[in-house]
Amino acid sequence: MVKLVGHLGADREQIAAFAFEGDVLVVPAHVSTPHTLHALEDSVVHFLRSDDLLPKGRPAMGAGQLLDRILADLGRSRELSALLGRKSARERICGFLVEMEKRIGRRENGAVILDLPMSRREIGDHLGLTIETVSRQLTDLRERSAIATCGRSRIDILDPQGLRALAGSVD
Amino acid sequence: MVKLVGHLGADREQIAAFAFEGDVLVVPAHVSTPHTLHALEDSVVHFLRSDDLLPKGRPAMGAGQLLDRILADLGRSRELSALLGRKSARERICGFLVEMEKRIGRRENGAVILDLPMSRREIGDHLGLTIETVSRQLTDLRERSAIATCGRSRIDILDPQGLRALAGSVD
DNA sequence: CGACATATTGATAGACCTCAAGAGAAGTGG
DNA sequence: CCACTTCTCTTGAGGTCTATCAATATGTCG
């Protein structure tokens, strides 16, 4: 039996999964939470690189790329588990904003503009928080001038670096 | 943009993931938290059945089975996210015990015996709880006669059905 | 402009964490 | 086999963060 551990720094750990005989465990790479594998008892583990899982000469958007994206999905899921298991409301909101910045942010003279297609409720349901807590955290960040808000769906990230620091990740 | 929602009953929802253009999203099946997909804005979504991802005539333990197990890993990760995002300490511990029962439980005249290879700290790090909370919850369950403990690693599940109810899942 | 949904703000309560002490289990060496 | 040490687990008291409940404000759309 082995455990897959995500490291959040400062002795904070999130065990993403336990694996038993016969299980396949995907160790995420290229995520902001470093992961390591530890045996809890004598174990035999076979390692495969995801690169080696499928044929080399890849057709454009073939099975290989599909597998890559499935593994990316799994990586985000691990990241979410670490966030939900070990982070404060402040860190969750900042982590969420940082991820949204990476995925749908538009640069515009210094700031990064986010047009969020989801409501506060949906943000809360994603981060394991209530809408009130989401709202209060955004207010705090606004008062710290880390972000600015405009209407319901637009958030301008004024201090991306500060946000990353508040997100409490390692990277 | 679409959202993948896990339903925990009683209006509790965990949004497992948001997906943007080009993303692949795995919708878990055969997990205890039912998941549904919702569009947040006009979207075009292509659906693939995991069965159709790889060649039919499967060699024993070939690529097809490997993919199945990767998807199983992802399913457990989604389940963990729902647990971490929306469940109380009591529900987390019971959910954990139910999963361990399924994976390493031995039946023995009525009860189910668990020899847990992990420490309280590791259970806590998995469930997003402190060791103290884990310990207190186990004490409560012992006092309710849902479980019995013997030494550090052995837990006997006396009331599997009651445990499932306390786990707060839908299935 | 008016009506409704969504978001913000405030007051309170509760679940879980933190800190601290003690009990129990497991290993070591005589 | 029994001290002795060490680590893990349990139990208790108090504090903190977030949820809950309630009211108000703001945004959106007809």
Side-chain angles (χ1 to χ4, degrees), chain B residues 26-164:
Chain B
V26 178
V27 182
H30 316 304
V31 294
S32 62
T33 306
H35 284 69
T36 58
L37 209 58
H38 302 260
L40 299 184
E41 50 193 14
D42 284 353
S43 308
V44 176
V45 181
H46 299 275
F47 291 92
L48 298 172
R49 294 185 57 83
S50 60
D51 296 343
D52 301 335
L53 282 182
L54 282 168
K56 302 297 169 205
R58 297 182 182 171
M61 190 46 182
Q65 190 160 4
L66 188 58
L67 180 65
D68 278 351
R69 295 193 183 182
I70 289 173
L71 295 179
D73 193 26
L74 185 46
R76 286 190 296 268
S77 183
R78 299 270 195 240
E79 199 82 77
L80 180 64
S81 293
L83 180 149
L84 294 171
R86 284 293 175 226
K87 290 192 179 181
S88 66
R90 157 74 32 87
E91 292 172 317
R92 294 182 198 198
I93 292 289
C94 292
F96 173 75
L97 291 175
V98 168
E99 188 182 336
M100 287 303 122
E101 180 200 338
K102 284 190 283 195
R103 295 172 85 181
I104 57 172
R106 295 181 288 113
R107 290 208 65 80
E108 202 161 285
N109 53 313
V112 177
I113 314 276
L114 295 182
D115 274 305
L116 295 179
M118 70 285 280
S119 66
R120 299 285 187 269
R121 164 157 300 284
E122 288 169 320
I123 295 174
D125 282 344
H126 186 49
L127 302 178
L129 300 171
T130 61
I131 52 176
E132 294 94 331
T133 298
V134 172
S135 185
R136 275 185 257 267
Q137 292 296 333
L138 290 177
T139 299
D140 280 5
L141 290 175
R142 200 183 314 117
E143 288 170 354
R144 288 161 169 256
S145 302
I147 65 171
T149 57
C150 177
R152 281 177 182 168
S153 62
R154 175 169 163 177
I155 293 181
D156 294 6
I157 298 181
L158 307 178
D159 181 8
Q161 215 48 45
L163 228 51
R164 255 165 254 270

Side-chain angles (χ1 to χ4, degrees), chain A residues 132-146:
Chain A
E132 293 94 331
T133 298
V134 171
S135 185
R136 276 187 256 268
Q137 292 297 332
L138 290 177
T139 299
D140 281 5
L141 291 175
R142 200 183 314 121
E143 287 169 355
R144 289 160 168 257
S145 301

